[in-house]
Amino acid sequence: MATSLAGTIKSGADLEACAREPIHIPGAIQPHGALLALDPATLAVMQAACGPGLGLFDAQAAIGRPVAEILPAPLRPLLAPIGAVTTPQYLGMARLPHSARGLHAIAHRAGDALILELEEGIEEEPTEFYHIYPALQAFLGALEAAGTIEELGTLAAREVRRITGFDRVLVYRFDPEWNGTVIAEDGNDRLPSYLGLRFPAGDIPAQARELYRLNRLRLIADADYVPVPILPAGHPATGAPLDLSQSVLRSVSPVHLEYMRNMGTGASMSISLLRDGALWGLISCHNRAPHRVPYHVRTACDFLGQILSLQLVAKERGALAERRIALRAVESQLLARMAAEEQFLDGLVAAPDDLLGLTHAAGAAVVSAGQCRTVGVTPSEDAIARITAWLDARPVEDLFATESLVGEMPGAEALKDSACGLVAISISQLHSSYVLWFRPELVRTVRWGGSPLKPGEVPEGARIHPRKSFEAWKETVRERSAPWDEAELDAAAQLRSAIVEIVLRRAEELAQLNEQLLRSNKELEAFSYSVSHDLRAPFRHIVGYSQLLRQNEADKISERGQRFIDTIIESAVSAGTLVDDLLSFSQMGRATLHPRRIDIGQLVAEVRAQLAPDMAGRAIEWRVGALPAIVADPTMLRLVFQNLLDNAIKFTRGRSPAVIEIGHRAGEGEAIFFVRDNGAGFDMAYVSKLFGVFQRLHRAEEFEGTGIGLANVKRIVEQRHGGRVWAEGAVDQGATLYFALPVGANG
């Protein structure tokens, strides 16, 4: 569009050359005024330029002279405040004798120079800004009633065209890639309509955008003007060219003037729209013929642009705030559901509409602890696993968002129907845990103001030429989803923060509970040890004195009394055994581990020999497989096999023959041992009780025991060696007890 400085460039090198063009130091001004660069200390002229039609002074002859000497007398009073000028300042207007036009004086600083510009006025132009202000009052009132950004733009375009007289006025908005779209337009049909067209970022290079940001208004009154050179070209002391970034008369790039002519415009004016100091867009004005706009009218347009900028920002922020409030309500509902679930991440997928509504996604997935839970339209679990693996390989990011996963992740072309757009939040620094939102490909048509792909013309390497065609050109955009907006990304980030806070809080609670549990276990172990140790002597005394009573006083005790004494001895022995087992159980949690390599085959043989008295008169068939050597604490592992074999011997009583099998098999990262028998077995409905302290699945009258042996096995294997235990069985069909130790522990 007519505010651009370069068209689409033929090559990357040409584009770089355009971006390097020194448009802020052109070394010339437009011909409808004069410029003087003054020494701030003496107000002597260091550099000068004067339009040929003004006849104010001879630029070459002015060098080195005090400014007051070379200016006509009516202009000299305007110089009074010039020494204190820092930022651009309007000094006033004066009329020369025998001229119906005045001269506007504007000053600013550029480096170590004071810049005085004298712009030729227009006949019957307003002489003060307040003459224009009443015309803006109706516009300011209408702005308050506008509901959308497009309505604001339309009002502004209409008002600017009314007070400036341009043929066409556009409001032009930049996207994040600096492409510009015409969102509003007002015209008189002398120039074609560009409403709704998009213009490529290359039309307004970065350095041009920076000039628009620094200097909010720029007028080119005639696209065919002949630039007036500044003399001398460089600073007298440094040789540096004069920086005209803040100048109202700055000459523009020849590329831009050609661009204007290619568009069929003889004059243009731009008004910058800023948001928080950054360029948001432009009000771009075009005229078929050359066209001058009076200085105070331009000032009114600048004022209008500032007001419009504030209104645009307010509308955007208001709409964003409303969306954020709505999404915060959705987030609150998700958090409430998460709080209600034992596994809090289950609360996310329990409310599919809320999870999808948080980012207006078509599908979502929660990946954690090796599980993948999905809602809506998503890729397959295998594809989601590939996406999370790709995310894991990237630099750590709390939030990742793209509307074109195809352009980011290799192999993502096949996923575009469900995952062309992706937002991912990482919810763990240690594990591959994510919440993912997906959007499908959205095929859409973009109307460009001329093909953005059309090459420029650079004949014989001379200089860059802009494109010549601005006819509407349609592009079909593929492999992109609908874009994620700021409110949606903020909502995803807020959810991540909430999840991380829940994880940290639960980790703290778990750590506190674990600390309390460890303390309670130590207290319980100490108590059990103390009680067990203190009870052993009384039970021995009961047994001993009962036996003495039976031996020494047998003739004085009736047969019934003898039975009572036998019951006392039997109960005391049983209680003593229980105390001994309880003492052993408490010691297992306190004893220091002394791991070393153990020959399990030899260990099993020694345990079988130790249990030989319990097998007297029994028909037992032993089936002992090949057992490997492992690393473990030998004393504790001996107790494991002693308990397991003793159980097998005990619960096969009544079987002839009793069959007891001891074997091993390799597991994934662990060594698995088992003891299998053909004895009484157990009901699998009660398997969870099998390894508990004092838990028995058979009556004491059937099988003796204290219910501590298998609890000891569980403690030794799981707590002391980091392994695991489990069992399988059926009533009257035998049982198999397993334990597994990590291979890492076994060297």
Side-chain angles (χ1 to χ4, degrees):
M1 52 190 304
T3 52
S4 91
L5 295 176
T8 304
I9 309 304
K10 185 173 183 179
S11 68
D14 296 330
L15 184 59
E16 291 177 5
C18 182
R20 290 195 302 269
E21 187 180 6
I23 59 176
H24 63 297
I25 49 172
I29 63 172
Q30 298 180 54
H32 58 278
L35 179 144
L36 294 164
L38 310 177
D39 183 322
T42 65
L43 298 185
V45 177
M46 298 188 295
Q47 292 172 275
C50 184
L54 269 67
L56 290 176
F57 53 80
D58 179 85
Q60 189 64 54
I63 306 303
R65 297 174 60 190
V67 65
E69 289 184 6
I70 66 169
L71 292 182
L75 293 175
R76 293 170 190 167
L78 302 180
L79 302 179
I82 195 170
V85 166
T86 54
T87 57
Q89 183 175 332
Y90 181 70
L91 302 180
M93 184 181 75
R95 295 187 184 277
L96 300 180
H98 312 297
S99 174
R101 299 179 180 180
L103 285 173
H104 297 276
I106 311 101
H108 69 276
R109 285 201 180 240
D112 61 354
L114 265 174
I115 306 297
L116 173 64
E117 295 182 89
L118 302 170
E119 180 184 330
E120 185 180 23
I122 301 173
E123 293 182 9
E124 299 181 358
E125 69 174 293
T127 57
E128 298 288 349
F129 172 68
Y130 67 80
H131 294 156
I132 299 295
Y133 182 73
L136 297 178
Q137 287 182 311
F139 166 73
L140 296 176
L143 282 181
E144 295 293 333
T148 67
I149 288 175
E150 288 72 20
E151 289 176 4
L152 286 171
T154 299
L155 286 172
R158 184 184 307 146
E159 183 65 16
V160 169
R161 200 178 77 79
R162 185 183 68 79
I163 64 176
T164 63
F166 277 102
D167 291 332
R168 179 181 63 202
V169 177
L170 313 173
V171 178
Y172 183 88
R173 179 181 186 173
F174 292 111
D175 67 15
E177 287 78 37
W178 295 107
N179 300 308
T181 301
V182 178
I183 64 169
E185 180 183 81
D186 191 74
N188 57 14
D189 297 329
R190 290 177 186 163
L191 291 172
S193 172
Y194 286 167
L195 183 62
L197 296 187
R198 179 181 293 190
F199 291 80
D203 276 15
I204 306 181
Q207 61 167 349
R209 295 194 297 267
E210 178 62 12
L211 273 182
Y212 285 128
R213 189 186 69 83
L214 294 174
N215 194 344
R216 292 191 302 265
L217 191 141
R218 194 275 326 268
L219 170 69
I220 303 171
D222 185 349
D224 292 318
Y225 77 84
V226 177
V228 179
I230 297 173
L231 303 177
H235 189 286
T238 65
L242 195 60
D243 186 344
L244 298 183
S245 297
Q246 298 289 348
S247 171
V248 298
L249 295 171
R250 174 177 60 85
S251 185
V252 299
S253 165
V255 176
H256 176 61
L257 295 176
E258 184 176 352
Y259 189 95
M260 287 177 61
R261 292 191 289 269
N262 290 349
M263 289 184 73
T265 56
S268 74
M269 186 176 78
S270 63
I271 306 160
S272 301
L273 302 174
L274 304 177
R275 175 178 58 190
D276 299 329
L279 192 62
W280 183 94
L282 297 169
I283 301 176
S284 186
C285 312
H286 311 125
N287 211 64
R288 178 175 289 279
H291 183 64
R292 289 274 306 282
V293 179
Y295 181 83
H296 288 306
V297 173
R298 301 203 313 268
T299 301
C301 290
D302 183 28
F303 175 71
L304 184 151
Q306 293 182 61
I307 297 298
L308 179 61
S309 294
L310 294 174
Q311 287 291 324
L312 291 170
V313 171
K315 291 291 183 189
E316 282 191 337
R317 288 179 175 168
L320 183 61
E322 289 179 3
R323 285 179 56 75
R324 281 177 169 155
I325 290 171
L327 294 180
R328 184 59 62 89
V330 175
E331 179 194 340
S332 297
Q333 294 169 3
L334 282 173
L335 293 177
R337 288 186 178 272
M338 290 166 64
E341 297 286 343
E342 183 176 348
Q343 298 295 325
F344 69 93
L345 288 178
D346 292 342
L348 290 176
V349 292
D353 291 343
D354 289 339
L355 182 57
L356 298 177
L358 192 70
T359 62
H360 297 94
V366 179
V367 180
S368 180
Q371 293 185 331
C372 178
R373 288 158 284 187
T374 63
V375 297
V377 180
T378 69
S380 66
E381 288 195 16
D382 287 343
I384 291 173
R386 292 200 303 274
I387 292 172
T388 56
W390 175 75
L391 290 169
D392 289 338
R394 291 172 52 85
V396 177
E397 293 180 275
D398 293 342
L399 183 146
F400 170 81
T402 180
E403 59 193 70
S404 180
L405 188 61
V406 173
E408 301 267 359
M409 176 183 156
E413 294 85 355
L415 309 179
K416 64 182 181 180
D417 290 340
S418 58
C420 195
L422 171 68
V423 169
I425 56 173
S426 171
I427 55 177
S428 173
Q429 296 292 333
L430 301 177
H431 307 291
S432 181
S433 297
Y434 296 93
V435 179
L436 309 170
W437 289 273
F438 306 104
R439 281 180 180 171
E441 177 186 36
L442 178 62
V443 179
R444 58 193 184 275
T445 299
V446 176
R447 296 175 65 241
W448 293 88
S451 169
L453 308 177
K454 187 174 181 180
E457 303 167 8
V458 188
E460 300 178 1
R463 70 168 175 84
I464 299 165
H465 289 262
R467 57 193 170 92
K468 296 180 179 179
S469 173
F470 296 87
E471 294 181 3
W473 186 87
K474 293 182 180 181
E475 177 192 14
T476 300
V477 178
R478 299 183 182 276
E479 297 183 346
R480 298 184 77 87
S481 72
W484 309 95
D485 69 25
E486 185 178 346
E488 293 161 349
L489 297 181
D490 285 349
Q494 289 285 345
L495 181 64
R496 179 193 177 275
S497 297
I499 291 174
V500 170
E501 184 178 343
I502 292 172
V503 171
L504 291 176
R505 185 168 65 248
R506 293 201 173 183
E508 288 179 359
E509 293 172 354
L510 187 61
Q512 291 175 352
L513 289 173
N514 191 46
E515 184 179 345
Q516 294 173 4
L517 183 60
L518 288 174
R519 186 166 56 249
S520 297
N521 281 342
K522 288 180 180 179
E523 292 173 353
L524 180 60
E525 288 174 5
F527 175 75
S528 300
Y529 181 84
S530 175
V531 170
S532 302
H533 185 272
D534 293 344
L535 284 176
R536 295 176 79 188
F539 284 127
R540 286 198 301 270
H541 291 161
I542 292 172
V543 172
Y545 281 110
S546 296
Q547 290 174 340
L548 288 174
L549 181 62
R550 186 174 58 186
Q551 292 174 4
N552 299 333
E553 304 294 333
D555 56 340
K556 299 178 182 179
I557 300 174
S558 66
E559 184 178 345
R560 184 181 181 190
Q562 290 282 359
R563 288 200 303 273
F564 288 162
I565 292 174
D566 290 341
T567 301
I568 291 171
I569 293 173
E570 183 180 340
S571 297
V573 168
S574 178
T577 302
L578 177 61
V579 168
D580 288 340
D581 289 346
L582 184 60
L583 182 61
S584 174
F585 181 76
S586 65
Q587 288 174 331
M588 285 300 104
R590 300 158 62 91
T592 303
L593 282 177
H594 298 287
R596 62 180 178 84
R597 184 164 290 278
I598 308 168
D599 184 340
I600 298 299
Q602 181 179 344
L603 178 65
V604 167
E606 292 172 358
V607 171
R608 286 176 57 191
Q610 181 182 349
L611 295 175
D614 296 334
M615 295 183 284
R618 296 275 306 277
I620 298 178
E621 179 185 334
W622 290 93
R623 300 176 183 174
V624 182
L627 302 173
I630 63 170
V631 174
D633 183 288
T635 302
M636 292 188 182
L637 206 60
R638 180 184 296 274
L639 187 57
V640 167
F641 276 105
Q642 183 176 323
N643 278 295
L644 294 180
L645 296 184
D646 184 55
N647 263 18
I649 293 169
K650 176 170 58 179
F651 288 107
T652 55
R653 190 182 302 141
R655 296 290 195 270
S656 184
V659 178
I660 301 175
E661 181 182 357
I662 306 164
H664 159 268
R665 71 169 185 263
E668 186 174 345
E670 60 186 2
I672 302 172
F673 297 90
F674 62 87
V675 175
R676 181 176 292 120
D677 65 63
N678 64 340
F682 61 90
D683 188 339
M684 283 295 288
Y686 304 103
V687 68
S688 60
K689 296 183 177 182
L690 194 63
F691 293 96
V693 181
F694 303 130
Q695 296 291 335
R696 295 174 52 86
L697 303 186
H698 301 85
R699 292 182 301 167
E701 294 82 1
E702 294 180 292
F703 300 101
E704 71 281 3
T706 60
I708 293 179
L710 292 183
N712 247 342
V713 169
K714 181 179 178 68
R715 169 171 282 197
I716 291 170
V717 171
E718 292 188 354
Q719 295 183 19
R720 305 314 306 274
H721 287 81
R724 60 193 183 102
V725 297
W726 69 100
E728 298 171 355
V731 176
D732 288 330
Q733 296 182 34
T736 305
L737 280 73
Y738 299 88
F739 73 91
L741 297 178
V743 170
N746 300 321

